């Protein structure tokens, strides 16, 4: 009887594992996507999935992907197919798109340029890397070469001034529950900005290997690196290496 029970249990486990293995589905350049090089996967406020790639935007409606590329007639005004990042404004619903050499918005019908000005008030092209919408709904954009951008409105952005003007490359950003912005930068390590001043962390240990950042509800900050593992930063003056 015991042997029979074991056999039945093993059979059920096998069926369960087989069923689970069939749940996954691959999308790549041979299966609906415009490119297999994915820079970001994003879910908008209506629940649509966006796959941001180096060769176009892919919007998934639950059945198939709809591809947006600058050569397509429906992609009115799209500046580049090389898209790095995106975010949807939680208030207006407008999409901000970060591209190779361009910063644009998308309203669901057409793309429009966002004019970017540097510290000398010159209009400059940007290599966009990431976005952050703060709790107060301000939108920040990270770049490689022009540091942190503050989005003034849907048509204008400018390079951050003051202490943040020292940053040249932004790889990622989060905001903690106290409203402090944490930035990972290839040239400055990890930065905490409280609205007036900046504090720097890990600049000696991991600079310039910092790549990404996230936080948890307890407000621990996790920093991923390219070859030094993951660091945990807490409010206490201590750090841990996972």
């Amino acid at each position: 009887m015991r042997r029979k029970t074991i056999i039945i249990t093993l059979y059920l486990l096998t069926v369960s594992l087989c069923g689970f293995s069939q749940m996954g589905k691959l999308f790549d350049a041979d299966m609906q996507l415009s490119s297999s090089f994915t820079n970001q996967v994003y879910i908008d406020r209506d629940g649509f999935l966006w796959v941001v790639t180096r060769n176009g935007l892919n919007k998934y409606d639950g059945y198939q992907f709809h591809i947006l590329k600058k050569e397509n007639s429906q992609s009115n005004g799209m500046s580049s197919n090389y898209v790095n990042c995106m975010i949807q404004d939680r208030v207006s619903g407008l999409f901000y798109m970060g591209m190779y050499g361009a910063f644009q918005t998308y309203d669901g019908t057409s793309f429009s340029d966002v004019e970017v000005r540097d510290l000398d008030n010159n209009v400059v092209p940007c290599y966009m890397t990431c976005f952050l919408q703060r709790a107060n709904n301000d939108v920040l954009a990270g770049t490689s070469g022009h540091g942190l951008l503050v989005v003034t409105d849907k048509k204008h952005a400018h390079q951050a001034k003051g202490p943040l003007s020292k940053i040249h490359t932004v790889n990622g950003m989060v905001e903690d529950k106290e409203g402090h912005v944490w930035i990972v930068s290839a040239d400055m390590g990890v930065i905490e900005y409280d609205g007036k001043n900046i504090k720097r962390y890990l600049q000696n240990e991991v600079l310039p290997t910092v790549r990404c950042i996230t936080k948890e509800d307890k407000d621990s900050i996790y920093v991923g690196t390219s070859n030094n593992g993951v660091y945990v930063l807490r409010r206490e003056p201590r750090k841990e290496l996972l």
Side-chain angles (χ1 to χ4, degrees):
M1 181 67 180
R2 183 179 178 183
R3 182 181 178 186
K4 183 177 180 180
T5 302
I6 293 174
I7 292 174
I8 293 174
T9 302
L10 290 173
Y11 173 77
L12 291 175
L13 284 172
T14 303
V15 171
S16 176
L17 289 172
C18 289
F20 181 81
S21 66
Q22 294 173 6
M23 290 174 63
K25 187 172 184 179
L26 173 66
F27 294 106
D28 58 16
D30 295 324
M31 286 290 292
Q32 299 192 38
L33 289 184
S34 61
S35 172
S36 294
F37 199 119
T38 303
N39 287 325
Q40 183 184 359
V41 178
Y42 184 79
I43 298 177
D44 68 23
R45 67 183 190 181
D46 295 318
F48 291 109
L49 173 72
W50 294 77
V51 180
V52 179
T53 80
R54 287 191 175 185
N55 189 32
L57 286 163
N58 301 259
K59 181 182 179 181
Y60 188 60
D61 62 8
Y63 299 96
Q64 62 181 344
F65 281 97
H66 301 272
I67 298 174
L68 298 177
K69 298 177 69 174
K70 66 178 184 178
E71 55 266 30
N72 296 349
S73 58
Q74 69 268 28
S75 304
N76 183 27
M78 189 172 181
S79 175
S80 173
N81 289 333
Y82 195 134
V83 189
N84 275 331
C85 52
M86 68 178 290
I87 194 172
Q88 185 178 29
D89 188 294
R90 67 172 69 99
V91 178
S92 67
L94 187 68
F95 292 97
Y96 290 97
M97 302 290 180
M99 302 173 177
Y100 184 86
F103 183 7
Q104 293 194 301
T105 60
Y106 179 62
D107 61 7
T109 302
S110 61
F111 291 82
S112 300
D113 292 334
V114 177
E115 181 184 85
V116 177
R117 292 186 177 269
D118 64 11
L119 295 173
D120 296 320
N121 205 36
N122 297 317
V123 177
V124 292
C126 287
Y127 182 95
M128 311 294 294
T129 57
C130 58
F131 289 106
L132 171 67
Q133 185 163 29
R134 304 188 62 185
N136 64 3
N137 293 320
D138 287 350
V139 177
L140 304 178
T143 75
S144 176
H146 290 92
L148 184 67
L149 303 181
V150 179
V151 179
T152 308
D153 54 48
K154 64 181 182 179
K155 291 186 178 296
H156 302 90
H158 62 84
Q159 190 171 351
K161 301 177 181 179
L164 295 175
S165 65
K166 300 176 183 179
I167 306 171
H168 295 289
T169 299
V170 177
N171 291 334
M173 299 179 283
V174 295
E175 182 180 22
D176 66 24
K177 63 184 179 183
E178 295 186 8
H180 295 191
V181 177
W182 292 75
I183 301 167
V184 287
S185 167
D187 50 289
M188 294 188 68
V190 181
I191 299 163
E192 179 187 8
Y193 178 63
D194 64 5
K196 295 182 179 180
N197 304 298
I198 63 173
K199 293 181 181 179
R200 294 179 63 187
Y201 304 87
L202 305 180
Q203 64 265 31
N204 295 323
E205 295 95 329
V206 300
L207 184 72
T209 67
V210 288
R211 288 292 179 268
C212 53
I213 187 168
T214 190
K215 67 180 180 67
E216 64 175 354
D217 291 339
K218 294 181 179 179
D219 241 17
S220 292
I221 304 295
Y222 293 83
V223 178
T225 70
S226 60
N227 57 14
N228 286 285
V230 177
Y231 285 82
V232 184
L233 299 174
R234 296 190 174 92
R235 283 295 174 194
E236 300 84 358
R238 64 191 179 101
K239 60 180 181 297
E240 299 173 7
L241 176 63
L242 297 182

